[in-house]
Amino acid sequence: MIAMGDLLLVRHGETEWSLSGQHTGRTDKPLTRHGEEQAKTLAPFFAGRPFALVLTSPLDRAVRTADLAGLVGATPYADLHEWDYGAYEGITTREIHRARPAWDLWTDGAPEGESPEQVGERADRVLSRVDQALAGNEGDVVLVAHGHFLRVVTARRLGLPPVEGRLFQLATGTVSRLSTEHGRPVVAAWNARPGS
């Protein structure tokens, strides 16, 4: 059972570009049929639970995931959008490496897009809002958003620099839980699906 006062991270369900590995920042790709099914299977995680706050990225793939998972009435929040990939939007890492073999999103950022530090600043703003909501002790907080951004949120929650989001692979259509132990932030569950 999930303890009160935890931060639940939900990565949206599968899209055509998440399946192909194309960087999907601002492009608002819809969920695939499989992505919709992934989102529906998450509903048991949330049924009957009190939430202090439920936020989604404003992009449809996150809003739709929240709805299908039973998180009706979630509030879109602009800072939860995915990493802005700039010139690399819609391009796979393999394609980028043909021109820039040493490129790494986590250290280099995206040309004409965001740096890891800029994404970290957004994550810190989100976490400030999370902390305000958790302070009321009225339930958990849920964030429905995107893979790279939620990995940065995780790093920042654990007191790590944004670049260390690279340590937390995050699958589509999953729930992860950040909690505390002895007053310190911890990863309590990762990439969970019902029955796992």
Side-chain angles (χ1 to χ4, degrees):
M1 184 166 187
I2 297 172
M4 293 289 276
D6 288 341
L7 174 56
L8 305 178
L9 307 177
V10 180
R11 183 175 177 199
H12 64 75
E14 176 191 273
T15 69
E16 178 186 346
W17 281 11
S18 70
L19 187 60
S20 65
Q22 292 168 266
H23 288 91
T24 319
R26 303 279 185 171
T27 304
D28 207 357
K29 298 301 266 184
L31 298 177
T32 62
R33 183 174 300 145
H34 178 65
E36 290 189 349
E37 290 305 313
Q38 285 179 315
K40 289 176 188 174
T41 66
L42 299 179
F45 281 109
F46 309 117
R49 295 200 55 80
F51 296 111
L53 182 66
V54 181
L55 299 174
T56 73
S57 160
L59 295 176
D60 184 65
R61 59 189 181 269
V63 172
R64 182 83 173 128
T65 296
D67 287 344
L68 292 171
L71 295 166
V72 180
T75 303
Y77 189 51
D79 273 338
L80 282 174
H81 69 78
E82 179 59 294
W83 198 309
D84 184 344
Y85 300 117
Y88 289 162
E89 181 78 7
I91 302 174
T92 67
T93 299
R94 179 176 292 172
E95 291 169 324
I96 296 165
H97 283 168
R98 288 185 192 134
R100 290 183 64 190
W103 176 80
D104 184 332
L105 176 68
W106 296 102
T107 53
D108 301 326
E112 301 171 36
E114 289 181 298
S115 69
E117 294 76 22
Q118 289 170 315
V119 179
E121 289 170 9
R122 280 198 293 116
D124 289 346
R125 290 195 300 268
V126 169
L127 288 169
S128 177
R129 186 154 179 198
V130 165
D131 286 339
Q132 289 172 3
L134 290 175
N137 201 27
E138 296 177 9
D140 298 324
V141 171
V142 183
L143 303 179
V144 185
H146 312 276
H148 281 135
F149 183 72
L150 290 176
R151 291 167 70 176
V152 174
V153 166
T154 300
R156 297 302 300 138
R157 187 63 163 182
L158 299 175
L160 302 171
V163 66
E164 298 307 339
R166 64 187 169 187
L167 301 174
F168 305 100
Q169 187 276 335
L170 192 58
T172 57
T174 58
V175 178
S176 299
R177 180 166 57 98
L178 303 181
S179 190
T180 56
E181 182 179 67
H182 307 300
R184 291 185 297 270
V186 296
V187 176
W190 196 256
N191 277 329
R193 291 191 168 104
S196 65

